[in-house]
Amino acid sequence: MHELSLTQNIVELAIEYARRENARVILSLTIEIGALSGVMAEAVSFAFDVCSQDTMAQGAQLEIRHIPGLGRCMACHEQTEMETLSYVCPACGSLALETLQGQEMKFIEMEVD
Amino acid sequence: MCINCGCNGEPNHHHRHDPPTRTVRVEEDLLAKNNRLASANRQQFSTHDLFVLNLVSSPGSGKTSLLERTLTDLQNCLRFAVLEGDQQTSNDAERIAATGVPVWQINTGSGCHLDAHMVGHGVDHFELAATDILMIENVGNLVCPASFDLGEDHKVAVLSVTEGEDKPLKYPQMFQAADLMLINKIDLLPYLRFDLEQCKAFARQINPRIEIIELSCHSGAGMTAWYDWLTSGVAGKRAKKE
């Protein structure tokens, strides 16, 4: 449910940057969401249509890039892809992994006119 | 004058005069605004040597009861203030107010979590210089509050034994973000099929560094360990500044 307030942030941020650039309209936005961020891309897409209504971002294309999760085993130090936070090291079976990548939620860029 | 060909912008010309679409680099974290406000809160709390906890759990884990007991037992040696977060009602704030501790209720309405902005304004109602510990009782929700830094020193996840030992696996973000897990209502263990050791193992699988205290705010079991943790947290915060 917090996707709604995150998406409101995206729209506010987009408008702020667009105004700074003297743009009339926002055509597309690119954001990154990590597999381990706890944010559902589908919920952000859905919320974006609602949040952007009657703003200069209305109708803009929202591109969401998926960042895969990456962890390192704290026992054997092997790196492994992890799609969830509860993950078992495939090399040694340890349960303790630290997260290296996949928790990001980032607004990368946008196309304006 | 047009910089491309030197014309005066006549219509039906051979190229567009309005600037073409362009790419704007943003490169901002989606939580940047909240994180900025959380940093400001953290700085303000540090100025007053305030030890700040963000209590998170599912609804009904016993956060408010735990606070009531803690405040009643410790308010002679530590000065508390409590921020209560709920979607609706001031019921929890009234329960805390009955202990005599300063409390402020934040109603989030449709919101599913507290954010740094709400907390920043919430603490305006307290005399921070005369407070040792600020307890922030977040909205009962194991999902959304995990992402929102409020400026606290620690997130404390409360899990009660009536909930099932696999909660840390089901809601990993929250248990990874927490520094301490309180397993509450352990007086009910004889009546339940709750595997305490399994629960602790699951929590450590998600977060190898998490501290765990088992307690019951009803029977009082384990409360001393929690009080020691609080007292050393306050002392540590003061020592860090000196």
Side-chain angles (χ1 to χ4, degrees):
Chain A
M1 211 164 113
H2 61 308
E3 281 85 354
L4 185 61
S5 51
L6 283 179
T7 310
Q8 267 160 351
N9 272 355
I10 299 173
V11 174
E12 281 169 24
L13 208 57
I15 293 172
E16 193 186 312
Y17 273 80
R19 289 217 174 106
R20 224 182 281 167
E21 294 284 323
N22 290 321
R24 290 180 302 114
V25 63
I26 298 167
L27 301 169
S28 70
L29 304 87
T30 307
I31 63 171
E32 283 180 355
I33 293 181
L36 310 173
S37 66
V39 173
M40 268 177 73
E42 295 81 359
V44 173
S45 290
F46 179 78
F48 181 75
D49 293 339
V50 180
C51 294
S52 61
Q53 247 175 41
D54 302 321
T55 73
M56 61 201 291
Q58 183 168 349
Q61 285 289 320
L62 179 68
E63 188 200 336
I64 302 180
R65 290 186 197 149
H66 175 81
I67 307 294
L70 187 67
R72 180 167 44 216
C73 176
M74 292 170 77
C76 74
H77 308 290
E78 268 310 298
Q79 284 197 14
T80 173
E81 266 189 39
M82 50 196 284
E83 283 302 295
T84 65
L85 284 173
S86 46
Y87 207 77
V88 182
C89 172
C92 76
S94 164
L95 300 175
L97 286 98
E98 63 177 328
T99 312
L100 300 177
Q101 171 193 291
Q103 290 182 309
E104 36 292 270
M105 298 184 254
K106 211 168 172 192
F107 189 165
I108 302 298
E109 62 182 24
M110 60 182 186
E111 198 73 26
V112 299
D113 193 359
Chain B
M1 194 172 71
C2 170
I3 55 165
N4 288 326
C5 63
C7 73
N8 291 315
E10 298 92 348
N12 305 320
H13 199 46
H14 54 90
H15 64 85
R16 283 180 69 184
H17 287 100
D18 49 334
T21 68
R22 56 202 191 274
T23 304
V24 180
R25 297 295 290 176
V26 180
E27 297 284 352
E28 277 214 54
D29 193 290
L30 295 188
L31 290 170
K33 190 174 156 197
N34 185 73
N35 291 344
R36 274 196 293 273
L37 293 169
S39 297
N41 289 349
R42 191 164 279 121
Q43 201 163 7
Q44 187 190 11
F45 299 154
S46 278
T47 310
H48 298 291
D49 296 341
L50 193 60
F51 187 54
V52 183
L53 300 180
N54 177 2
L55 274 81
V56 290
S57 80
S58 26
S61 67
K63 288 191 299 300
T64 313
S65 301
L66 180 73
L67 277 179
E68 283 176 304
R69 172 105 190 212
T70 305
L71 303 174
T72 306
D73 289 350
L74 293 188
Q75 63 176 310
N76 288 332
C77 44
L78 289 170
R79 296 167 299 175
F80 286 91
V82 178
L83 273 182
E84 279 289 339
D86 282 297
Q87 286 198 316
Q88 300 278 337
T89 85
S90 56
N91 294 352
D92 284 359
E94 284 159 26
R95 285 170 60 186
I96 298 299
T99 66
V101 165
V103 57
W104 185 257
Q105 177 81 49
I106 300 171
N107 282 136
T108 58
S110 61
C112 47
H113 58 269
L114 291 177
D115 63 34
H117 183 243
M118 299 173 193
V119 167
H121 285 292
V123 296
D124 286 343
H125 301 273
F126 302 129
E127 206 185 321
L128 296 184
T131 309
D132 300 311
I133 302 189
L134 171 66
M135 297 281 206
I136 306 170
E137 184 181 338
N138 217 314
V139 179
N141 175 347
L142 276 176
V143 184
C144 312
S147 304
F148 292 84
D149 184 8
L150 306 178
E152 71 271 5
D153 291 293
H154 304 285
K155 280 191 180 70
V156 176
V158 184
L159 186 153
S160 63
V161 298
T162 51
E163 294 173 49
E165 57 272 318
D166 56 353
K167 273 271 164 83
L169 295 186
K170 287 178 171 168
Y171 303 94
Q173 259 81 24
M174 187 60 90
F175 290 89
Q176 197 187 50
D179 296 314
L180 173 67
M181 171 165 88
L182 297 177
I183 304 182
N184 192 19
K185 307 188 190 178
I186 57 164
D187 55 310
L188 295 177
L189 278 174
Y191 312 102
L192 300 165
R193 279 185 300 179
F194 181 90
D195 188 335
L196 192 59
E197 291 312 311
Q198 182 70 80
C199 179
K200 294 192 309 197
F202 284 151
R204 290 193 173 114
Q205 175 182 348
I206 300 299
N207 179 355
R209 296 175 193 86
I210 199 164
E211 289 184 75
I212 302 173
I213 297 174
E214 303 148 33
L215 50 77
S216 161
C217 61
H218 182 68
S219 73
M223 293 298 280
T224 315
W226 161 235
Y227 295 160
D228 289 346
W229 190 90
L230 284 176
T231 319
S232 64
V234 172
K237 183 95 187 203
R238 284 184 193 143
K240 211 154 100 186
K241 199 176 174 194
E242 280 155 14

